[in-house]
Amino acid sequence: ETGVTQTPRHLVMGMTNKKSLKCEQHLGHNAMYWYKQSAKKPLELMFVYSLEERVENNSVPSRFSPECPNSSHLFLHLHTLQPEDSALYLCASSQDLLALDYEQYFGPGTRLTVT
Amino acid sequence: AQSVTQLDSQVPVFEEAPVELRCNYSSSVSVYLFWYVQYPNQGLQLLLKYLSGSTLVKGINGFEAEFNKSQTSFHLRKPSVHISDTAEYFCAVKTGGFKTIFGAGTRLFVKA
């Protein structure tokens, strides 16, 4: 595998379910991100990790819980979601958190539908 | 606060025609500017970036963008588009810290 991978690619869950999204980066990067992409809205930054430490929790509801066990893996644990949480969830990584000239590398996303 | 405005939500264009996707930003400090492309069912990938130096930046797939500081713009252009260029394009800006501010996206639809 190369780049940034995400599993599952599609997820349908009920409002009372618990599920997890997984992201893995094979680039040796130090920073990882979770974004939410909804139709006709800009990307919303949810969480940022640098060297496995969370540096940003962007007013995200507690029903979303991130976990970064090492610099290559990032999880998003989901529980008691709402229908408005249906969206594409994108994981990204970058070489360094603060260097301005480094771009982000994105995974293909998980399309989440909450029923 | 920094912001990015993509002036067109959708741009339909015929194959082999030129295209320009517009992006304006607001910032009181120096900026680093990016264009990303998102093909259907995929994540975003970098097309090009402006960090400093020449204001005309060339990227992948024949795209280029011009940084205009006085007009705070970073428009993306391609002289002749292909069907395969159909995608969503995002302009983004970084000014400091770790946040990248993305625009709402422009959907380019190339017609045969």
mmCIF file of all heavy atoms in Angstrom, chain A residues 18 49 51 58 64 73 77 88 90 95:
data_model
loop_
_atom_site.group_PDB
_atom_site.id
_atom_site.type_symbol
_atom_site.label_atom_id
_atom_site.label_comp_id
_atom_site.label_asym_id
_atom_site.label_seq_id
_atom_site.Cartn_x
_atom_site.Cartn_y
_atom_site.Cartn_z
ATOM 1 N N LYS A 18 -22.205 1.616 17.189
ATOM 2 C CA LYS A 18 -20.837 2.103 17.394
ATOM 3 C C LYS A 18 -19.965 1.522 16.294
ATOM 4 O O LYS A 18 -19.980 0.313 16.061
ATOM 5 C CB LYS A 18 -20.285 1.644 18.745
ATOM 6 C CG LYS A 18 -20.909 2.277 19.953
ATOM 7 C CD LYS A 18 -20.186 1.822 21.219
ATOM 8 C CE LYS A 18 -20.803 2.440 22.454
ATOM 9 N NZ LYS A 18 -20.099 2.014 23.685
ATOM 10 N N TYR A 49 -3.531 15.721 14.721
ATOM 11 C CA TYR A 49 -2.543 15.068 15.577
ATOM 12 C C TYR A 49 -1.144 15.348 15.045
ATOM 13 O O TYR A 49 -0.922 15.320 13.831
ATOM 14 C CB TYR A 49 -2.763 13.553 15.621
ATOM 15 C CG TYR A 49 -3.839 13.116 16.582
ATOM 16 C CD1 TYR A 49 -5.183 13.148 16.215
ATOM 17 C CD2 TYR A 49 -3.510 12.675 17.855
ATOM 18 C CE1 TYR A 49 -6.165 12.742 17.096
ATOM 19 C CE2 TYR A 49 -4.488 12.261 18.745
ATOM 20 C CZ TYR A 49 -5.819 12.305 18.363
ATOM 21 O OH TYR A 49 -6.787 11.903 19.248
ATOM 22 N N LEU A 51 2.692 13.892 15.888
ATOM 23 C CA LEU A 51 3.478 12.920 16.655
ATOM 24 C C LEU A 51 2.624 12.284 17.755
ATOM 25 O O LEU A 51 3.022 12.209 18.921
ATOM 26 C CB LEU A 51 4.720 13.597 17.242
ATOM 27 C CG LEU A 51 5.707 14.124 16.192
ATOM 28 C CD1 LEU A 51 6.779 14.966 16.841
ATOM 29 C CD2 LEU A 51 6.314 12.971 15.405
ATOM 30 N N ASN A 58 -11.689 20.681 17.001
ATOM 31 C CA ASN A 58 -12.337 21.856 16.459
ATOM 32 C C ASN A 58 -13.827 21.901 16.781
ATOM 33 O O ASN A 58 -14.655 21.900 15.892
ATOM 34 C CB ASN A 58 -12.110 21.875 14.935
ATOM 35 C CG ASN A 58 -12.087 23.266 14.391
ATOM 36 O OD1 ASN A 58 -11.842 24.225 15.102
ATOM 37 N ND2 ASN A 58 -12.330 23.386 13.097
ATOM 38 N N PHE A 64 -18.022 11.911 18.326
ATOM 39 C CA PHE A 64 -16.849 11.595 17.515
ATOM 40 C C PHE A 64 -15.638 11.561 18.456
ATOM 41 O O PHE A 64 -15.346 12.549 19.127
ATOM 42 C CB PHE A 64 -16.607 12.652 16.441
ATOM 43 C CG PHE A 64 -17.683 12.734 15.412
ATOM 44 C CD1 PHE A 64 -18.756 13.596 15.579
ATOM 45 C CD2 PHE A 64 -17.628 11.948 14.271
ATOM 46 C CE1 PHE A 64 -19.764 13.667 14.632
ATOM 47 C CE2 PHE A 64 -18.627 12.018 13.316
ATOM 48 C CZ PHE A 64 -19.702 12.879 13.492
ATOM 49 N N HIS A 73 -1.110 5.604 12.156
ATOM 50 C CA HIS A 73 -2.505 5.192 12.242
ATOM 51 C C HIS A 73 -3.358 6.241 12.955
ATOM 52 O O HIS A 73 -2.941 6.831 13.959
ATOM 53 C CB HIS A 73 -2.638 3.858 12.989
ATOM 54 C CG HIS A 73 -2.045 2.700 12.255
ATOM 55 N ND1 HIS A 73 -0.705 2.380 12.350
ATOM 56 C CD2 HIS A 73 -2.596 1.815 11.377
ATOM 57 C CE1 HIS A 73 -0.453 1.321 11.602
ATOM 58 N NE2 HIS A 73 -1.582 0.962 10.988
ATOM 59 N N HIS A 77 -13.656 7.036 16.174
ATOM 60 C CA HIS A 77 -14.685 6.192 16.773
ATOM 61 C C HIS A 77 -16.009 6.947 16.788
ATOM 62 O O HIS A 77 -16.050 8.119 17.170
ATOM 63 C CB HIS A 77 -14.270 5.784 18.190
ATOM 64 C CG HIS A 77 -12.940 5.093 18.257
ATOM 65 N ND1 HIS A 77 -12.685 3.908 17.589
ATOM 66 C CD2 HIS A 77 -11.788 5.435 18.890
ATOM 67 C CE1 HIS A 77 -11.431 3.528 17.823
ATOM 68 N NE2 HIS A 77 -10.861 4.449 18.610
ATOM 69 N N LEU A 88 -18.798 12.574 3.809
ATOM 70 C CA LEU A 88 -17.549 11.904 3.462
ATOM 71 C C LEU A 88 -16.503 12.311 4.494
ATOM 72 O O LEU A 88 -16.283 13.509 4.709
ATOM 73 C CB LEU A 88 -17.100 12.305 2.055
ATOM 74 C CG LEU A 88 -15.832 11.628 1.519
ATOM 75 C CD1 LEU A 88 -16.066 10.135 1.287
ATOM 76 C CD2 LEU A 88 -15.356 12.294 0.233
ATOM 77 N N LEU A 90 -12.690 12.392 5.478
ATOM 78 C CA LEU A 90 -11.386 12.313 4.835
ATOM 79 C C LEU A 90 -10.280 12.358 5.883
ATOM 80 O O LEU A 90 -10.301 13.178 6.790
ATOM 81 C CB LEU A 90 -11.197 13.487 3.867
ATOM 82 C CG LEU A 90 -12.061 13.475 2.622
ATOM 83 C CD1 LEU A 90 -12.019 14.836 1.935
ATOM 84 C CD2 LEU A 90 -11.608 12.402 1.653
ATOM 85 N N GLN A 95 3.937 16.085 6.093
ATOM 86 C CA GLN A 95 5.278 15.809 6.594
ATOM 87 C C GLN A 95 5.488 16.402 7.992
ATOM 88 O O GLN A 95 6.029 15.760 8.880
ATOM 89 C CB GLN A 95 6.308 16.391 5.625
ATOM 90 C CG GLN A 95 7.751 16.214 6.054
ATOM 91 C CD GLN A 95 8.168 14.771 6.032
ATOM 92 O OE1 GLN A 95 7.926 14.075 5.049
ATOM 93 N NE2 GLN A 95 8.772 14.296 7.112
#
